[in-house]
Amino acid sequence: MKGGVIIEPRTTPRILFLVLAAFMLLLPAALDAQQKYALVIGNGAYTAVTRLNNPVNDANDMKAALEGLGFTVDAVLNGDRVQMEEAMERLKNRLSLSPKSYGFFFYAGHGVQSGGENYLIPVDADIRSESYLRDRAVSVQAMLDELNLARNELNIVVLDACRDNPFSWKRSGSRGLQVIGNQPADSIIVYATSAGSTAADGTGRNGLFTGQLLKNLKAPGLEVREIFRRTHADVRTASGDAQRPAVYDQFGGLAYLSGRPGGQTDQTVPESPPPRTEPPKPAVAAAETGTVRVSSDIAGVVYIDGASTGVQIKAGGSVAIQNVSTGTTEVSVRAEGGAVFRAPTVLVRQGQTAAAVVQRPVPDGFVRINGGTFTMGSPANEAGRFGDEGPQHQVTVSGFYMGKYEVSQKEYQDVMGTNPSAFKGANLPVEMVSWFDAVEYCNKRSIKEGLTPAYTISGSGDSRSVTWNRNTNGYRLPTEAEWEYACRAGTTTAYNSGAAAESLAGKANVMDLTAKEQYPDGAIVNIRDGYVNTAPVGSFAANVWGLYDMHGNVWEWCWDWYGNYGSGSQTDPMGASSGSGRVLRGGSWPNDGQYLRSACRGYNTASNRYHNLGFRLLRPSL
């Protein structure tokens, strides 16, 4: 049996001719069948500019979604310039083979505009002045021109790259991306937000725009413009109208990525000839299977399509599940307590390996901080530097969840039944809390929410002893290294907003012109933030990782004993083994710029309480 028609040894010439004729009728339709090719790029692990949390997730999830729509997808994760350009060349070559093909290019990461042109930033690009941009970044126009050479039916370009210019040399007004000056025919170009505006990286698994696009891509029977129209509306709603995607359309036809309404197809394929009445000869087909590489934040048993594999995976581990049936596949991990955590759907292809990532949902009020390596401390030439901020050293931290905001008075009152703050207000940060108060709050809130407390507290009063069990899932204080890593959010300047204290305008509550009216003595930052004392949590702009008030408002207690830094590289350091005080970070409302820097270290005895001492929470990614 071959191609649905039985071939017998004694086939007459006339029957053979009919078989060949049927095959020739099918051949043009096969050649004209809609071919769909895509390239997705996700750049987040930048080495010279601000890291981004979500682009790799965005690219992986877009890959799975497009494969589910029948695209053959090439993915580049954290790519350099050569990798990005070579991938675009491969996409063009594939599209060139079929004039009826659809192309789809998706990029998430940093993008900038300069001289009326847009550029996508490779993860290793060290662009120290605007003069080097053309040679070290990837021109959007050049990529569009390359796609245009394919002469295929439709190219869709989606750029979730409209974040603020991350370079210190940026010119005023150079926000987001420019409108494409020379858009090729038969293309649809989509920006995550309007030209000249910036898009949110998002605080969950995906960027704000990409998360909404993924949802609408999965809706069946939508013409491609309707997909983007719905995405536009959803993003505006989710952002409170702060972000408005832009669509630039130079395509004259209609395109359905998941088939036309009612199950119609874009191509009409002639019906196959009716089968012969003789029963076919029995045949044994080889099983079509592939492999799924599962990575998980959660320890437990791996399930495939709801069935247990019996394979145990460790938290932070990775296992390969072989002989998985091809097709769309659901991957999950069932934790010891019975909770189930699911990965985005993956597409398994015969003989290939698909990647499934299982992550714990981000707790309400928290931001996922992916692990990474950074330079801790300040350089010797940083203005206002204190000697205990060196030597600078490389530190690697594991991923964790950090509270978006400092703990508020309402949150503290709800758990502890009291509010010790000097400046009262439900949404003001709690202050007048000691280090002991902070760790006790962590334990009590953990118990209240069914988590395992992180700390064992023994004794009473100022002589209390506290030990930390790192294998628990309860709330805790950040280590000093975790705090600085999260505050910097990929920056290397004195503040996460720039090199000068004045860059904190609109981003921090500090000793400023407003406070000086009531407290005339002492140094100030020459800005006006509108608050004399503490400000409600979240009153100012977040850093690029979505954390508020990392500079100013109240000092924040950390786990560590205060002590000298070592000079060697470290992984997940816990600070000194003993000392006379616990570390405080971030500065506060009565402090000037010297104390607000990302590397500045404060400390106090664990039992002391002041009107500018507070804390924020961390949860491990166990």
Side-chain angles (χ1 to χ4, degrees):
M1 180 173 173
K2 183 176 183 181
V5 179
I6 297 174
I7 307 295
E8 298 179 350
R10 289 175 291 182
T11 302
T12 64
R14 179 174 176 79
I15 293 176
L16 181 59
F17 172 78
L18 290 174
V19 171
L20 290 173
F23 174 77
M24 295 305 292
L25 285 172
L26 286 170
L27 184 59
L31 292 174
D32 284 343
Q34 196 78 62
Q35 300 296 310
K36 294 184 281 192
Y37 300 101
L39 166 62
V40 298
I41 298 177
N43 285 349
Y46 288 94
T47 56
V49 294
T50 308
R51 291 169 62 98
L52 297 172
N53 278 340
N54 289 324
V56 169
N57 292 338
D58 292 342
N60 279 327
D61 292 353
M62 283 295 297
K63 179 177 186 290
L66 291 171
E67 286 177 335
L69 296 175
F71 281 80
T72 299
V73 185
D74 192 2
V76 175
L77 304 180
N78 292 320
D80 59 27
R81 179 176 177 175
V82 172
Q83 291 170 330
M84 293 168 68
E85 291 179 342
E86 287 179 348
M88 179 56 70
E89 179 77 12
R90 290 195 297 271
L91 177 61
K92 180 204 72 174
N93 291 340
R94 285 174 169 175
L95 294 170
S96 299
L97 297 176
S98 174
K100 295 289 186 181
S101 60
Y102 288 171
F104 196 112
F105 171 66
F106 172 83
Y107 173 84
H110 278 308
V112 301
Q113 57 166 292
S114 174
E117 289 195 35
N118 299 311
Y119 296 88
L120 308 182
I121 308 302
V123 291
D124 62 346
D126 186 7
I127 305 174
R128 302 188 181 186
S129 81
E130 197 166 1
S131 303
Y132 298 117
L133 187 60
R134 187 181 300 272
D135 293 329
R136 299 182 184 180
V138 178
S139 164
V140 173
Q141 188 64 60
M143 298 183 88
L144 291 174
D145 292 343
E146 189 78 354
L147 279 178
N148 195 40
L149 294 175
R151 300 290 188 265
N152 56 304
E153 184 170 340
L154 169 64
N155 285 314
I156 300 168
V157 176
V158 177
L159 301 179
D160 193 355
C162 309
R163 297 163 178 84
D164 208 354
N165 189 324
F167 297 104
S168 59
W169 45 257
K170 67 181 178 183
R171 297 176 294 181
S172 61
S174 61
R175 294 165 60 85
L177 299 179
Q178 276 273 28
V179 176
I180 297 294
N182 184 24
Q183 180 174 349
D186 300 321
S187 68
I188 298 174
I189 299 175
V190 184
Y191 286 0
T193 191
S194 55
S197 301
T198 57
D201 189 36
T203 58
R205 176 178 174 79
N206 298 113
L208 174 60
F209 167 82
T210 300
Q212 300 301 325
L213 176 58
L214 285 165
K215 178 182 70 176
N216 289 301
L217 276 175
K218 297 174 183 177
L222 296 184
E223 203 273 336
V224 67
R225 294 174 184 82
E226 179 62 13
I227 293 174
F228 294 124
R229 188 198 67 77
R230 293 188 182 189
T231 301
H232 174 97
D234 292 343
V235 170
R236 290 184 63 177
T237 299
S239 67
D241 213 30
Q243 185 171 328
R244 301 184 178 191
V247 179
Y248 306 97
D249 187 0
Q250 292 290 333
F251 178 60
L254 296 176
Y256 295 84
L257 302 185
S258 59
R260 295 178 183 272
Q264 302 176 50
T265 61
D266 286 332
Q267 298 290 335
T268 301
V269 181
E271 294 183 0
S272 300
R276 296 281 297 270
T277 56
E278 294 88 350
K281 296 179 180 179
V284 178
E288 293 187 352
T289 64
T291 299
V292 178
R293 168 66 63 177
V294 183
S295 303
S296 178
D297 285 349
I298 300 99
V301 178
V302 177
Y303 280 66
I304 299 292
D305 290 330
S308 173
T309 64
V311 176
Q312 291 276 350
I313 189 169
K314 297 179 179 179
S318 176
V319 296
I321 308 297
Q322 298 179 334
N323 299 319
V324 178
S325 298
T326 56
T328 302
T329 302
E330 298 286 344
V331 180
S332 60
V333 170
R334 184 181 295 273
E336 183 177 352
V340 176
F341 301 89
R342 291 179 173 82
T345 301
V346 298
L347 182 66
V348 179
R349 295 183 183 276
Q350 185 175 12
Q352 299 183 15
T353 299
V357 179
V358 180
Q359 293 181 312
R360 189 181 300 275
V362 178
D364 289 342
F366 283 73
V367 175
R368 187 194 304 276
I369 305 296
N370 294 327
T373 301
F374 76 112
T375 301
M376 188 171 181
S378 62
N381 62 351
E382 184 170 293
R385 179 184 192 266
F386 293 103
D388 64 353
E389 297 168 20
Q392 285 188 292
H393 53 291
Q394 293 293 299
V395 173
T396 299
V397 296
S398 303
F400 52 89
Y401 304 107
M402 180 168 269
K404 291 182 183 179
Y405 312 107
E406 294 162 331
V407 173
S408 71
Q409 293 176 29
K410 182 181 185 303
E411 289 174 316
Y412 194 86
Q413 175 85 43
D414 289 347
V415 172
M416 305 296 283
T418 184
N419 179 9
S421 303
F423 309 110
K424 291 294 194 289
N427 205 36
L428 292 174
V430 68
E431 18 87 8
M432 294 295 294
V433 288
S434 69
W435 184 87
F436 286 123
D437 295 333
V439 297
E440 187 177 354
Y441 174 88
C442 291
N443 274 6
K444 287 188 174 182
R445 181 163 168 178
S446 296
I447 293 169
K448 184 177 180 180
E449 297 183 13
L451 304 173
T452 303
Y455 302 118
T456 300
I457 304 173
S458 57
S460 60
D462 294 350
S463 62
R464 279 174 285 180
S465 172
V466 180
T467 57
W468 169 21
N469 181 354
R470 299 189 70 161
N471 295 319
T472 61
N473 62 356
Y475 296 106
R476 63 175 176 85
L477 298 178
T479 65
E480 187 177 15
E482 289 168 336
W483 191 97
E484 185 172 331
Y485 175 70
C487 175
R488 289 188 177 280
T491 63
T492 57
T493 47
Y495 311 90
N496 61 34
S497 53
E502 286 70 27
S503 68
L504 294 172
K507 299 180 179 179
N509 177 28
V510 303
M511 177 56 73
D512 69 324
L513 295 170
T514 308
K516 190 173 179 64
E517 294 170 1
Q518 184 165 330
Y519 306 102
D521 298 330
I524 67 166
V525 180
N526 192 30
I527 61 176
R528 186 176 292 278
D529 60 40
Y531 293 93
V532 174
N533 302 306
T534 55
V537 298
S539 295
F540 301 92
N543 72 7
V544 295
W545 287 356
L547 300 170
Y548 295 82
D549 302 315
M550 297 299 285
H551 296 296
N553 220 16
V554 292
W555 285 96
E556 298 178 12
W557 287 110
C558 294
W559 161 258
D560 311 47
W561 288 106
Y562 173 77
N564 293 328
Y565 286 155
S567 59
S569 298
Q570 295 178 301
T571 298
D572 291 327
M574 298 173 62
S577 59
S578 62
S580 59
R582 295 287 184 170
V583 170
L584 290 155
R585 284 302 202 111
S588 65
W589 62 267
N591 293 132
D592 64 25
Q594 183 177 19
Y595 295 91
L596 301 165
R597 294 171 301 107
S598 300
C600 182
R601 309 174 70 201
Y603 68 97
N604 215 312
T605 57
S607 59
N608 278 355
R609 301 178 177 93
Y610 291 102
H611 58 193
N612 62 340
L613 302 186
F615 64 102
R616 84 173 62 222
L617 297 179
L618 181 148
R619 273 190 63 179
S621 57
L622 298 178

